[in-house]
Amino acid sequence: MEHGGKPRPMKGIRQLAEHLDISIGTVSRALNGKPDVNEETRKRVLAAAEQLGYVANQSGRSLRQGTTNVIGLMIQSSRETVENSDNFFLTVTGGLQSVFSRHKLDLIMLPCPHDEDPYEYLKRMVARRIVDALIISETQRVDKRFDLLAKAKIPFAALGRSLSGTQHPWADLDFDGVANAAVDRLVAHGHRRIAISAPASEINLGFVFVEGYRRALERHGIPYDPALVLRAKSSEQGGYQVGDELLRLENQPTAVILIYELMAIGLYRRLMEAGIVPGRDIAVVSFREAPRAKFLQPALTCFRTSVHDLGVELAEILLSSMPAYSQEYPRTSRQTVWPLELIPGESDAFQLKAAK
Amino acid sequence: MEHGGKPRPMKGIRQLAEHLDISIGTVSRALNGKPDVNEETRKRVLAAAEQLGYVANQSGRSLRQGTTNVIGLMIQSSRETVENSDNFFLTVTGGLQSVFSRHKLDLIMLPCPHDEDPYEYLKRMVARRIVDALIISETQRVDKRFDLLAKAKIPFAALGRSLSGTQHPWADLDFDGVANAAVDRLVAHGHRRIAISAPASEINLGFVFVEGYRRALERHGIPYDPALVLRAKSSEQGGYQVGDELLRLENQPTAVILIYELMAIGLYRRLMEAGIVPGRDIAVVSFREAPRAKFLQPALTCFRTSVHDLGVELAEILLSSMPAYSQEYPRTSRQTVWPLELIPGESDAFQLKAAK
DNA sequence: ACGCGCTCCGTAAACGTTTACGATACTATG
DNA sequence: CATAGTATCGTAAACGTTTACGGAGCGCGT
């Protein structure tokens, strides 16, 4: 009533066709931009559809053409992830959508329930044919999902690199490079005994981060000491725990690299409790910049990147591997290591004088 | 090859029927647990389906029965939200799924792109019939989406209360109660000039929070001063900005209530810079507990709740309003104000002696 | 006048399911 | 033995859309 048109409930393309006194086939062609339809009738159809609020039923459409125009982003909202992913996924989603929307592709997020096996969940989603393509995240070092998707012949890309030999599209943050740069910087400041925090090595992230650290040490002729690799949760508590473990070490490190900037809050606290001042008595460098890092005292040296742009890249990688879109996104490589930039703070801004 | 069965690609229910030498109708009935099918043949069918990895095509199914067994959770990942929602949605999602999964309902998240109008986005999603029911979030004071969903006759519930007269299912955190309790506590500690931070009043949350604050003040006979309502972003920067505005006020408040615990980080910093010590010179109370609040110095007094359980409640509210499930979830009310619990910290643990 | 090509449109099949309906065989009942 | 009732299954229609195919009308060249 309040709007101008007749808000009669729209049933389907059939009613729309009757209302226009045109055949149903022509209506469909008009709506889908097919060539063999008079421009004038096309306008009439579009106008009527707009006015009556007609939108094609997705089920009918996808049943017929075997395509849904929907792309799924699977996330495992494990307890751990929920606590630390810190809107990483929502930000990535923004980047993904900015690309997909150009092609009238909708992105939906598929959150795997806590109590369901991610592999089984993915299998269900694939079989139900609810999406045309998939993006999976939180890749593991051995991840059966790659095979599953390859066998199902459904296009996919991974947020997180592959470490097995399988070749598939992925984009990942440059954990390797971050670890390298962190070690380089700390060594330049005089540090030789450097600890690192990381999640379990079954997680790709945990493995790659430590590997980069190890190789950087080697490059500087510093022996790799497994005792300095502190496995902890990526949270405030984890940071506190890292502080605990640091204090317990015999030959105490003069620097520590964190995998996640939230940990710095707990770490700072634990160190302060022990009378150790970050940025003076111990150097702290952390992967990944966040607004709150700026508010830590001393300001945290960390690495920044645009997660949004990572999403854009990932979307383009995925589309480039889909036949229907590949010519629009020509690429030489479908595997991207996404760079990060060092943001110097004060948490490591001191030269180490002598051994403690 | 590595698995036992024959991993031949499964085409549809027709192939499955041929393979079993049973009619396609019987196969469908067997899979869907319909009564008129021999138990033995049902077992055969289920076994074969499992072995061949058959899962019903969702498009065909939903086209036929007009239902998708999918429930959508729409989120607006506006820049603002992305920065401060802090996995609120992922946690709620966990709660929702724990209920939905009991009914073989899948939850998908529908993130509205930044550049699309939420109303139009929702309209598209509704018309495409991709979900059976919807949960919308971030309700506004005037929100056209309620009418849209009501007219489309699609079951829905809102994460966030309704302030217009419309009666529909919702669950919301008890912002009102929090503001009340915060004021009560501060007044009991001797404070009479209390500032509050909140988002814009167009957002339900911002409106309700300030309303609760205003009524609590009235109850204590304290005049409401609009100058003490500080509109800021719910982030560290927002907190810093709140600190700025506090310092700029003529008759400086002795206490401040924050809408989001992250803001405390920025607020603390700004106050420290001005030589004002939270928990000694000024009292700080914040809505909503988070792990990191425990690591602030002084520990933040805040309000805790289980967001997961809020999700459970919301799911039950939604199902109770869907004919197919309502008898399983009988309810007297479909509108829940979700309680929070005060967690005393040290940020307000002092008695105010005299006026400054 | 005829055929040819072109533009536009209508018809109907097909996508994979579910389900109303009817058919069959068997059992129980008189 | 006839009948009714029951358990189980097969048949076919229907869901809403897209698209291959063919047909109608028209202009144009021969």
Side-chain angles (χ1 to χ4, degrees), chain B residues 185 189 268 284 293 298-302 342-350:
Chain B
R185 184 173 159 96
H189 284 14
Y268 275 23
V284 182
L300 191 62
T301 294
C302 52
L342 179 81
I343 307 292
E346 296 142 26
S347 60
D348 72 334
F350 66 102

Side-chain angles (χ1 to χ4, degrees), chain A residues 173-231:
Chain A
L173 292 171
D174 187 11
F175 295 102
D176 191 76
V178 165
N180 253 282
V183 169
D184 283 357
R185 183 172 160 96
L186 290 171
V187 167
H189 283 16
H191 299 273
R192 311 248 331 145
R193 191 152 172 80
I194 303 169
I196 189 170
S197 81
S201 67
E202 285 78 36
I203 315 273
N204 268 353
L205 189 164
F207 179 78
V208 173
F209 199 50
V210 174
E211 272 305 292
Y213 158 82
R214 198 178 57 71
R215 283 206 304 276
L217 288 182
E218 272 179 12
R219 201 157 30 74
H220 289 288
I222 302 177
Y224 167 74
D225 182 355
L228 296 186
V229 178
L230 312 173
R231 305 288 179 183

Side-chain angles (χ1 to χ4, degrees), chain A residues 152-286:
Chain A
K153 296 208 196 314
I154 176 170
F156 75 99
L159 179 52
R161 73 191 72 189
S162 161
L163 291 178
S164 49
T166 56
Q167 288 296 322
H168 60 258
W170 55 257
D172 199 3
L173 292 171
D174 187 11
F175 295 102
D176 191 76
V178 165
N180 253 282
V183 169
D184 283 357
R185 183 172 160 96
L186 290 171
V187 167
H189 283 16
H191 299 273
R192 311 248 331 145
R193 191 152 172 80
I194 303 169
I196 189 170
S197 81
S201 67
E202 285 78 36
I203 315 273
N204 268 353
L205 189 164
F207 179 78
V208 173
F209 199 50
V210 174
E211 272 305 292
Y213 158 82
R214 198 178 57 71
R215 283 206 304 276
L217 288 182
E218 272 179 12
R219 201 157 30 74
H220 289 288
I222 302 177
Y224 167 74
D225 182 355
L228 296 186
V229 178
L230 312 173
R231 305 288 179 183
K233 296 220 302 191
S234 303
S235 62
E236 290 92 340
Q237 286 96 328
Y240 193 88
Q241 186 185 336
V242 164
D244 262 349
E245 297 190 30
L246 273 180
L247 296 172
R248 216 175 284 141
L249 284 173
E250 305 191 3
N251 188 3
Q252 225 169 75
T254 59
V256 57
I257 304 172
L258 297 178
I259 186 69
Y260 188 58
E261 92 285 348
L262 258 192
M263 303 178 73
I265 298 176
L267 175 64
Y268 275 25
R269 172 134 199 198
R270 183 66 190 89
L271 293 177
M272 300 285 213
E273 288 175 3
I276 298 178
V277 179
R280 194 194 67 188
D281 305 326
I282 189 170
V284 182
V285 177
S286 177

Side-chain angles (χ1 to χ4, degrees), chain A residues 103-169:
Chain A
H103 304 280
K104 293 191 181 292
L105 293 171
D106 275 312
L107 178 77
I108 67 175
M109 298 170 73
L110 305 172
C112 174
H114 302 301
D115 53 5
E116 188 169 1
D117 177 46
Y119 182 77
E120 294 300 326
Y121 177 78
L122 182 62
K123 200 153 87 176
R124 254 177 55 224
M125 291 302 151
V126 166
R128 283 170 56 146
R129 307 243 112 104
I130 208 177
V131 294
D132 289 346
L134 269 162
I135 297 173
I136 63 177
S137 61
E138 289 169 85
T139 51
Q140 309 271 329
R141 266 181 83 188
V142 291
D143 206 319
K144 294 189 297 176
R145 293 180 295 171
F146 297 140
D147 286 337
L148 172 64
L149 291 168
K151 267 183 197 151
K153 296 208 196 314
I154 176 170
F156 75 99
L159 179 52
R161 73 191 72 189
S162 161
L163 291 178
S164 49
T166 56
Q167 288 296 322
H168 60 258

